[in-house]
């Protein structure tokens, strides 16, 4: 009996030690990253996220990084695979990726980044800053009253403002609905396209009818800035944009955040959840700490627009 008891105690001690090892400093973390589409802003956010966690965890963290190439159905497929693989955390970069991950799991922590408004993205009407569910993250919304101020400052004689965005992106609609309330001195009209197939026709109509266009942080627009730029340049129509990447592609000016820093902040939240055991359901969504007024020097010169000294030129790629 003594021998049996000793064996049982030894097994219990080994099991306990194994449990400590699995949850202690030697634990590794597998993170799934679903990025909705490839463009400069989202790429920077993903890089900031990965850099932060790699700096903190070294080879104890691995990433399964997938890009949905702008297809919401692919976001769903990627998210479901992450759940099947049993990843420790999912990053949804941009709204469709966040929505897919949130739908795919109620157990695995889901962080979003490059999200405009979480209440809109998650269909939570009484949004109060934290979800109460397994989701939180960072928002990329620069103050829309500040974006409106740029339009007023650079184009004081404008009469007609066009808001150009993708009808399939609820956060784009949210931004345009909101900025309209700051542009009451203008005639404002919304121009929506469904995908890349009709963007040229819609952009052409907008440029023909408006003095200035505003494009929010819209992933479909960001993926088609070349098309928009060709039309706006031919028509001589200036565009103010919701973020720097779109402004580089087709805009004149923007009130922009730093997406790499936003990704870093999201990585900090991930570390707090994975290593420190923070409760994601009570974590408030975080925002970029600073905004910068930026302009596209080449396009401003071509359109004959004088840019005030407090704007920073966007660096050429």
């Amino acid at each position: 009996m003594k021998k049996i008891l000793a064996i049982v105690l030894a097994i219990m001690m080994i099991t306990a030690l194994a449990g400590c090892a699995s949850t202690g400093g030697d634990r590794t973390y597998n993170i799934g990253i679903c990025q909705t589409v490839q463009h400069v802003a989202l790429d920077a956010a993903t890089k900031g996220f990965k850099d932060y966690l790699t700096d903190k965890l070294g080879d104890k963290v691995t990433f399964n990084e997938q890009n949905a190439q702008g297809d919401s159905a692919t976001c769903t497929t990627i998210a479901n695979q992450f759940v099947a693989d049993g990843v420790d955390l999912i990053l949804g970069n941009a709204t469709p990726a966040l929505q897919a991950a949130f739908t795919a799991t109620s157990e695995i922590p889901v962080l979003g980044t490059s999200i405009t408004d979480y209440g809109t993205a998650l269909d939570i009407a009484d949004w109060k800053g934290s979800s109460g569910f397994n989701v939180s993250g960072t928002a990329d919304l620069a103050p829309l009253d500040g974006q409106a101020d740029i339009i007023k400052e650079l184009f004081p004689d404008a009469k007609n403002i066009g808001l150009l965005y993708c009808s399939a992106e609820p956060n784009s609609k949210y931004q345009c609905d909101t900025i309209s309330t700051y542009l009451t001195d203008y005639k404002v009209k919304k121009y929506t396209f469904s995908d890349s197939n009709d963007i040229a026709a819609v952009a052409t109509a907008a440029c023909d009818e408006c003095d200035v266009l505003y494009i929010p942080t819209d992933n479909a627009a960001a993926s088609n800035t070349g098309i928009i730029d060709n039309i706006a340049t031919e028509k001589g129509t200036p565009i103010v944009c919701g973020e720097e990447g779109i402004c580089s592609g087709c805009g004149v000016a923007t009130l922009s955040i730093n997406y790499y820093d936003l990704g870093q902040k999201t990585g900090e939240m991930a570390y707090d959840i994975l290593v420190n055991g923070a409760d994601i359901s009570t974590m408030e969504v975080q925002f970029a700490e600073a905004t910068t007024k930026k302009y596209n020097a080449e396009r401003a010169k071509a359109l004959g627009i004088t840019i005030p000294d407090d704007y920073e030129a966007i660096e050429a790629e």
Side-chain angles (χ1 to χ4, degrees):
M1 287 295 295
K2 288 182 179 180
K3 287 183 178 179
I4 293 172
L5 182 59
I7 292 170
V8 171
L9 288 172
I11 292 171
M12 290 175 65
M13 289 178 66
I14 291 169
T15 302
L17 288 171
C20 290
S22 67
T23 59
D26 291 333
R27 178 175 175 179
T28 59
Y29 302 94
N30 185 21
I31 295 176
I33 299 174
C34 179
Q35 184 172 314
T36 300
V37 69
Q38 185 173 8
H39 68 74
V40 175
L42 302 190
D43 292 349
T46 293
K47 187 175 189 307
F49 177 80
K50 292 172 64 179
D51 284 355
Y52 182 91
L53 288 170
T54 301
D55 180 62
K56 283 287 191 178
L57 296 170
D59 59 4
K60 294 177 184 176
V61 62
T62 58
F63 303 98
N64 183 352
E65 185 177 347
Q66 302 291 327
N67 194 299
Q69 302 301 326
D71 184 27
S72 296
T74 303
C75 287
T76 299
T77 300
I78 292 168
N80 287 335
Q81 187 59 55
F82 287 160
V83 174
D85 292 342
V87 299
D88 296 297
L89 183 142
I90 299 173
L91 174 71
N93 190 344
T95 299
L98 174 70
Q99 291 171 328
F102 181 54
T103 301
T105 178
S106 60
E107 302 296 330
I108 298 171
V110 175
L111 285 175
T113 191
S114 313
I115 310 298
T116 301
D117 178 70
Y118 278 78
T120 300
L122 301 175
D123 196 22
I124 299 175
D126 58 342
W127 178 257
K128 294 182 173 63
S130 59
S131 70
F133 301 103
N134 62 313
V135 61
S136 188
T138 56
D140 65 349
L141 183 62
L144 288 165
D145 56 344
Q147 303 283 16
D149 286 343
I150 286 179
I151 295 173
K152 296 173 185 178
E153 181 176 37
L154 297 184
F155 309 103
D157 298 326
K159 299 284 191 276
N160 299 295
I161 309 296
L163 308 178
L164 179 66
Y165 65 96
C166 179
S167 58
E169 298 199 22
N171 277 318
S172 296
K173 181 180 184 302
Y174 168 83
Q175 291 173 76
C176 289
D177 287 346
T178 303
I179 199 171
S180 295
T181 65
Y182 301 115
L183 297 171
T184 54
D185 293 336
Y186 302 89
K187 182 179 178 180
V188 177
K189 183 176 178 179
K190 296 174 182 175
Y191 297 84
T192 62
F193 57 91
S194 58
D195 54 36
S196 59
N197 293 319
D198 63 342
I199 192 169
V202 175
T204 298
C207 289
D208 283 340
E209 298 171 8
C210 298
D211 303 310
V212 181
L213 300 187
Y214 177 75
I215 300 177
T217 55
D218 184 288
N219 293 312
S223 299
N224 291 279
T225 55
I227 295 173
I228 298 170
D229 185 44
N230 288 338
I231 295 165
T233 298
E234 181 184 345
K235 303 287 186 180
T237 307
I239 302 175
V240 174
C241 304
E243 57 93 7
E244 183 177 335
I246 299 176
C247 191
S248 295
C250 65
V252 171
T254 180
L255 183 65
S256 190
I257 67 165
N258 186 307
Y259 277 81
Y260 180 84
D261 290 348
L262 195 72
Q264 289 253 305
K265 186 180 289 289
T266 318
E268 184 179 347
M269 296 175 76
Y271 183 87
D272 205 21
I273 293 163
L274 295 172
V275 179
N276 298 329
D279 181 1
I280 191 172
S281 69
T282 63
M283 295 180 78
E284 291 200 356
V285 165
Q286 302 294 305
F287 291 81
E289 295 178 356
T291 57
T292 305
K293 292 196 288 187
K294 293 194 171 186
Y295 74 103
N296 187 314
E298 182 179 349
R299 198 165 286 111
K301 182 179 179 181
L303 292 171
I305 299 168
T306 300
I307 304 295
D309 292 339
D310 60 336
Y311 283 68
E312 179 183 313
I314 296 172
E315 295 182 6
E317 292 294 325

